[in-house]
Each structure stands twice: as structure tokens, then as C-alpha cells.
Amino acid sequence: MNIIVLVKQVPDTETRIKLKAGSTDIDREGINMVLNPYDEFAVEEAIKIKEAGGGSVVIITAGEAKAEEAVRTALAMGADRAIRLDGAEFAGADSYSTAKALAKAISAEQYDLILCGKQAVDDDSVQVGTLVAAMLGIPSVNMVTKLEVAGGSMKASREIEGGHEVVEVPTPCVITAQKGLNEPRYPSLPGIMKAKKKELKAVALGALGLSADEVGAAGAKSAVVELSLPPERKAGQVFEGEAAEIVPKVVKLLRDEAKVV
Amino acid sequence: MLNFDLEQDQLILRNTIRDFAEKEIAPKAEELDEKEEFSVEITKKMAELGLFGMFVSEEYGGSGAGYISYIIAVEELARVDGSHAATVAAGNSLGIGPIYYFGSEKQKKEWLPMLCSGEKLASFGLTEPDAGSDAGATKTTARQTNDEWIINGSKIFITNAACELSGVTIVQAVTGKLQNGKKELSCILVPHGTPGFTQRPMKKKMMWRASNTAELYFDDCAVPLDNTLGKRGDGFSQMLSTLDGGRLSIAAMGLGGAQGAFELALKYSKERHQFGVPINTFQTISFRLADMATEIEAARNLLYKACWLKQNKRAYSKEAAMAKLYCSEVMRRVTHGAVQILGGYGLMKEYGAERFYRDQRLLEIGEGTSEVQRIVISRHIGC
């Protein structure tokens, strides 16, 4: 089975995010960047399917040069080769223009299955996988926690409110990975060394076959107008005394200040 | 050309080991330390990751990742737990290192694949009850018969030498007398299971409680002459060279431990409120954290430079001693500060600073005390 995995490099979840002054972006200077945790599930699942039944695993990212680190991590886990969409034109994309570029890159490949994380943990838009499927005209199943290959189709199990739903879709299709799908392996040292020699092709806009107004900020359907940090949490208040005298005070504050009751 | 960027594979490695240490070691570290238990399970997992034989070339089962990568791995393990960093550091620089650098082709083929896969651990039998800093005072003897060495004596404080994975110990022994009257020292490979070779785990340690430490006894223990590591009589220079590399590992443990303790203290200082504000808003706390961060940065630069010298086959003995001395003393100051910032909680095992504080203490003693490092450095600078 030929599998394509879409990945994104995101700030380490423990990073303290700072805003970049005068922009609608975060300050990326000096922060640790990692492979998006949900994409790790997708990479692991792809490698498992390949190990069980053969085929190939190709990684595609739309990130800048720095994102090659995340791509190499996926190669170190066991993917075969990778493609990175390269060029300033791709910058400032929203989910739509990202998906457009990715779908175009995918259509130049042989594929039976496309896997990606259900969302990237930085912008949390939860759209790219589904958009790619729509643009390629193939089905998609989101937030999958169990996946089986069943002949020419995939059997995907997903968590729904109060239970599980099992969906069968013909291949090719897009499956987005939810936590619980598998336990991603650590890239081993020999794997990391081997990954250095695997093909990682940078594909420029021209070679992709799209024009500059279709990708990046120019091709976006939406624009970020403002970015702000959550308000700092205030220190808690401690009430002392008998329950009978505290309760009315707490209720009053919950109603008047916190406005939750 | 000055370049402080790590290679891409080194960045991936750092993230991988950090992730591994936080998920696989951190949840068990306190309990293993408390029970004084060596974990075969975690050691096997570290081996699967390729943490043994990182600087060994692929033909012998290593990954050929180089010394800087190896040091980053030890640093990241030590950031979470000293014991597990010790298992890897000793296994590599004291166990695998001498066989890789000095062993015959036959010895390398015989031992390195199983050591690099983590099937077995190698150890370095140098220290004796009466030969510590004065390593030349070794009393263990190897007497030559027709085709065998007959070894008698004992060793102490030997890491990785008395657990179920222990496979071979490189034993330094007196094999004769030189013309100048000094002892002729040789290193001999002694497989575990050889009759006359017994190991006893040493318990009740203050630090590295989840790492395996052994006393070794040799009682007419016979091994083939072929088990001599390199040439007969090279034991002393092999030991000095092995310790140069070992010092980088200890330095990495100092650096990683300091980093771990610092992060713990920094996090706590933001969460802990006193007088109505987080304690890191007090200058006395923030300045102490600033000093810690500064010293850790300096320590990292010194250590990485020493590793760079080794990786590029330059002389690095002086810088290795400096890095070992400095990194272990930085960790002392940082762990002392971390316990202080955590206050009463700093004294409690549950909060982690206490383990860093204890684990640090070895670093100024093992693989050459800080005093010995100062001797080495003072000789290098012409005193």
C-alpha cells in the first residue's frame, strides 16, 4: 500500500509562547520545534501498515526549511522519502491554501491512503485533512482511533459521544489520526543516521504547477487579524470561617465577579 | 569559522532522548531510586533506541553518530535521572570504548555487536580498595602460564558489573615489572561466568541508586592470553585515555543534571506564591536562577568544545578535565540552589530536587576526583 503522510512542525507543547511585536505571528526565535504529536500517530500508523503489508511511506510538508527537522524525524521513524514545498510564496497560508498546495503535491504521487494528524497543535484549525480529501475528491474519516486494511477499503473506528463508530471507506481516502490510534515509536539512533541519507525533495512553486496567487497568503480564504495571549490567571481567593458565613460571600462573588451563576 | 549550530540529526536526537527520558524513565525514577533497583527493562529500551555504541561504526553494530551526539544523549538522560545516564555512560565510555579503541579485530567482532545491541553490558575494572586516585597502585595481578592469564585480586565501585546483563569486565592488572622498576599494567577482558570471577552488587549508596555498582573478586581466574586488550603493558595508557573520554560523560551528567534541577527550580518559583506573589518575582530568587542559567550555558559551551576536539581528533585531555571539573561543580551549585528555592519541599523525595542533589555528589569523585582534575589541568598549563 502506498501511503502519504502529511506532517507539520509545531512549537514544542511545553514552549512558552511569545507574540512577535507588530505581527500576527508568534516569535519563533529560539523555541524548540517538534513533529506535531497527532502527525506522529499518523506516521506510526503508516509505518505499521507498511511493515505488515509492504508498500511505501512518503512524507509531505508545507513548512519552511526549519521543518525539515520534523520531516527527518518521520524518516528516522521509518518513512521512505519526503517532499517539502519550498518557497516564500507558501508563507502565510491558511488551512485552505495549505490544503490546496498539499493536494497538488499529492496528485503527482501514487497513493492508496493519506494519513495526517486530526489537527496541528499550534493553530488547531482541524481542517487540512478534510480539505485535502475534498480537493482530491476522495472520502475522509476524521479522528480515527483504530484502523484496519480491508481489501480495497479501510475500516476506521472513531470515538463518538458515548461510544464507537466503525466506518468503512474505499481507498484512496484520507484518515486523520486521533490520540489512541497507536503508540508512536521513538526514532532510534540508527534510524536517525539512516534518515540523513533518505531523499528529501524540496519542490518549488513552479514545479508544483500552481501559481503564486493560489498558495500562501495570496491564496488564503481567511486572514488572521489579531493574536493575543490568554489573560494571566489571577491568584485564587481563600475564604476562612464557618461554612454558613462563607457560602453567601462565595455565591455573591461567583454571581457578580466571575459571572458564572 | 565559529559555528554553534548543532547538526539536524543532533537536534532530532535531543528531542527524541528528551521525549524518551520524560515518558519512560521519569515516571519510574523515584521508585527505582528508593528501592535501589536496576531496571533491566529500561536498559533494554535504551538499547533499542541505540544508546549503546553511538560512537561505534556500523560494521561493529554501532550507529556511527559521533561523540557529540553521544554526549547530548547522556546530557538528556541526566536531565531526568542520573542513574540511567550512568548506566549508558559507563556502558559506552568505560565498557564499549576501550574495546572499540584498543581491541583486536577478533575482540571487536566478538564483543561489540552484543554490547551495542544492549544484550550485554561491559564494565571497566580499575579502582581497587587501595587504588583510587593512585590508579597505578593496582594490586590485582595476572600471572602468565603457557597460554593463560591467572588473575588474582579485587576491584571496587565498578558500574554495570553485577547485574543480569553484565557480560564482560575489562580488568586492569599488574602483569610484570618494567626495567625502571615500575609495575607493568595490562588490561584483560574477563567474561562473566569465568570460573574464579565473582561479582557482588554494592548497596546502600547515597546516589545513582538505580544504577548497578559492583565489587569484583578474582580467585585464580584463568582467561586466554588472547584476552589481553591491545598490547601487554599498555594498560596504564589505555586507562588514562579511557578516563579522558569518561570525563566527558561525567561532565555531560553534570550538565544534564544541572539543567534538570534548574528547570525544576524555575518552574517551582513561578508556581509557588509567598506574600501574595510568585517567588520568582523576588530578586533574591530570580538572581539565583539567572546565575544558574549563566553557569549552565558556560558549562555547555566548555563541554561541547571538548567533545568537538575529541570528535575532530585534536588533543582534548585538558579540556576534558576542565569540562568534568566545571560541569560537576556547576551541578553542585545548581542543585544546592534548587533545593534552597524549593525550601522544605526541596528536602522531600517526591519533589525531585533531592535526587538531583544526591546524584550530583558522585560527579566530583568518580572518574578522577575534582582534585585529580585540578592536577591534570595544572600540569597542562605548565605548573
Side-chain angles (χ1 to χ4, degrees):
Chain A
M1 185 171 259
N2 295 320
I3 307 165
I4 288 173
V5 187
L6 307 175
V7 306
K8 184 179 186 184
Q9 189 185 42
V10 297
D12 191 340
T13 45
E14 284 182 19
T15 304
R16 206 167 133 222
I17 299 295
K18 280 183 286 183
L19 299 182
K20 197 167 168 184
S23 85
T24 51
D25 199 1
I26 59 164
D27 186 354
R28 292 171 195 275
E29 191 61 39
I31 63 175
N32 192 33
M33 302 288 285
V34 298
L35 177 58
N36 175 37
Y38 291 107
D39 295 346
E40 272 184 33
F41 298 123
V43 174
E44 174 66 30
E45 198 64 16
I47 297 167
K48 273 170 66 179
I49 294 171
K50 182 192 133 178
E51 283 170 348
S56 67
V57 177
V58 179
I59 304 295
I60 303 183
T61 191
E64 54 188 353
K66 168 85 180 151
E68 289 194 356
E69 220 174 281
V71 173
R72 291 268 181 223
T73 303
L75 292 173
M77 287 170 76
D80 299 296
R81 62 186 172 89
I83 293 164
R84 180 177 70 79
L85 304 181
D86 178 45
E89 302 91 339
F90 295 105
D94 67 349
S95 299
Y96 179 84
S97 55
T98 300
K100 181 138 195 173
L102 290 171
K104 187 76 181 168
I106 293 165
S107 59
E109 297 284 327
Q110 299 282 332
Y111 60 91
D112 305 301
L113 174 64
I114 298 164
L115 281 160
C116 62
K118 69 169 171 114
Q119 72 193 85
V121 297
D122 53 357
D123 59 20
D124 285 336
S125 79
V126 206
Q127 295 182 52
V128 170
T130 316
L131 282 167
V132 164
M135 288 168 183
L136 293 171
I138 59 176
S140 68
V141 186
N142 278 348
M143 311 206 185
V144 169
T145 51
K146 195 177 168 206
L147 187 64
E148 286 169 62
V149 181
S153 61
M154 301 302 296
K155 216 168 160 187
S157 176
R158 47 196 300 277
E159 274 170 27
I160 55 169
E161 189 61 38
H164 287 275
E165 180 183 65
V166 180
V167 183
E168 198 165 325
V169 275
T171 55
C173 60
V174 173
I175 302 286
T176 76
Q178 166 70 303
K179 186 179 164 69
L181 179 60
N182 52 47
E183 196 60 50
R185 70 195 66 193
Y186 299 99
S188 72
L189 244 296
I192 292 172
M193 299 311 287
K194 272 189 209 128
K196 285 167 86 170
K197 294 172 199 145
K198 290 180 179 173
E199 180 187 288
L200 197 173
K201 201 161 79 180
V203 175
L205 187 64
L208 192 62
L210 287 174
S211 61
D213 58 0
E214 290 176 288
V215 298
K221 299 272 189 201
S222 63
V224 179
V225 290
E226 197 194 318
L227 210 57
S228 60
L229 293 172
E232 277 204 30
R233 263 178 62 192
K234 287 186 201 150
Q237 275 188 57
V238 178
F239 298 87
E240 281 174 28
E242 293 297 318
E245 63 185 89
I246 293 172
V247 171
K249 285 190 206 166
V250 175
V251 171
K252 185 175 168 11
L253 284 171
L254 285 175
R255 182 180 298 135
D256 300 346
E257 270 192 30
K259 298 191 168 81
V260 291
V261 290
Chain B
M1 189 184 72
L2 204 52
N3 182 357
F4 289 102
D5 283 331
L6 292 176
E7 300 286 340
Q8 197 177 57
D9 58 285
Q10 291 165 337
L11 294 171
I12 295 172
L13 169 79
R14 186 190 288 286
N15 278 337
T16 301
I17 308 294
R18 179 167 294 198
D19 203 25
F20 173 86
E22 284 173 357
K23 285 187 191 145
E24 310 289 335
I25 301 176
K28 294 178 185 148
E30 187 197 334
E31 190 191 340
L32 292 169
D33 174 79
E34 178 68 22
K35 289 186 178 163
E36 226 176 346
E37 189 181 311
F38 173 87
S39 169
V40 173
E41 186 199 345
I42 295 177
T43 306
K44 288 276 182 199
K45 281 186 183 171
M46 295 195 292
E48 271 171 43
L49 213 53
L51 286 174
F52 293 96
M54 289 180 62
F55 49 80
V56 172
S57 62
E58 287 171 29
E59 58 172 317
Y60 301 113
S63 55
Y67 219 84
I68 296 175
S69 297
Y70 160 63
I71 286 300
I72 290 171
V74 174
E75 177 192 340
E76 287 301 328
L77 293 172
R79 176 178 163 273
V80 166
D81 185 50
S83 292
H84 290 87
T87 300
V88 167
N92 277 292
S93 54
L94 301 182
I96 290 171
I99 299 177
Y100 182 55
Y101 294 123
F102 311 121
S104 66
E105 194 55 32
K106 184 167 165 279
Q107 288 165 344
K108 289 200 238 183
K109 288 248 160 69
E110 181 182 356
W111 290 108
L112 291 176
M114 78 170 95
L115 297 175
C116 292
S117 71
E119 188 189 330
K120 294 285 179 197
L121 286 171
S123 54
F124 193 59
L126 171 65
T127 300
E128 296 187 0
D130 294 322
S133 294
D134 184 6
T138 297
K139 283 183 187 160
T140 296
T141 58
R143 181 168 48 84
Q144 186 183 344
T145 62
N146 280 342
D147 51 0
E148 284 183 323
W149 290 115
I150 310 294
I151 305 170
N152 279 287
S154 68
K155 299 284 175 183
I156 194 167
F157 306 133
I158 311 304
T159 305
N160 288 345
C163 65
E164 56 193 278
L165 299 176
S166 305
V168 62
T169 300
I170 302 152
V171 179
Q172 185 180 273
V174 181
T175 47
K177 207 170 188 177
L178 299 172
Q179 281 179 337
N180 61 12
K182 287 189 176 170
K183 290 170 181 169
E184 179 197 68
L185 294 165
S186 305
C187 287
I188 301 166
L189 295 169
V190 185
H192 287 234
T194 305
F197 177 22
T198 50
Q199 310 90 30
R200 196 172 69 83
M202 297 175 77
K203 293 285 181 183
K204 298 188 182 172
K205 281 183 294 182
M206 170 189 185
M207 44 10 88
W208 285 8
R209 289 166 58 86
S211 103
N212 177 263
T213 309
E215 275 179 295
L216 309 177
Y217 302 95
F218 302 92
D219 183 15
D220 282 336
C221 170
V223 296
L225 287 180
D226 272 357
N227 284 22
T228 314
L229 187 71
K231 283 212 318 281
R232 174 179 181 159
D234 278 356
F236 199 74
S237 69
Q238 289 169 350
M239 178 269 290
L240 289 178
S241 153
T242 299
L243 291 188
D244 278 344
R247 278 168 192 155
L248 297 175
S249 309
I250 296 279
M253 277 189 259
L255 173 62
Q259 180 73 37
F262 162 74
E263 286 177 26
L264 197 72
L266 178 64
K267 183 165 181 280
Y268 180 87
S269 74
K270 292 177 190 172
E271 290 163 0
R272 170 74 170 175
H273 284 67
Q274 288 291 275
F275 306 103
V277 289
I279 61 170
N280 75 346
T281 56
F282 300 122
Q283 205 172 57
T284 185
I285 303 288
S286 62
F287 275 22
R288 189 146 197 181
L289 288 162
D291 285 345
M292 290 180 184
T294 306
E295 287 205 273
I296 289 169
E297 185 67 21
R300 182 169 288 118
N301 281 312
L302 177 57
L303 172 59
Y304 285 12
K305 186 188 168 188
C307 295
W308 182 88
L309 290 168
K310 179 173 167 65
Q311 189 152 310
N312 287 284
K313 301 195 164 42
R314 312 273 182 92
Y316 71 100
S317 173
K318 179 181 77 176
E319 287 79 4
M322 286 174 163
K324 198 262 185 190
L325 173 66
Y326 189 68
C327 291
S328 53
E329 294 195 351
V330 165
M331 186 179 171
R332 179 182 69 207
R333 290 189 285 274
V334 169
T335 53
H336 190 272
V339 170
Q340 195 68 23
I341 288 170
L342 267 74
Y345 300 103
L347 304 171
M348 307 305 290
K349 285 190 190 301
E350 200 187 329
Y351 285 79
E354 180 262 2
R355 185 156 44 84
F356 280 118
Y357 184 83
R358 279 186 289 112
D359 280 343
Q360 181 278 331
R361 203 60 193 87
L362 174 132
L363 305 184
E364 292 181 77
I365 295 170
E367 307 216 18
T369 59
S370 287
E371 290 74 16
V372 165
Q373 305 310 318
R374 289 188 167 90
I375 293 173
V376 172
I377 297 163
S378 61
R379 283 180 187 158
H380 275 289
I381 60 174
C383 294

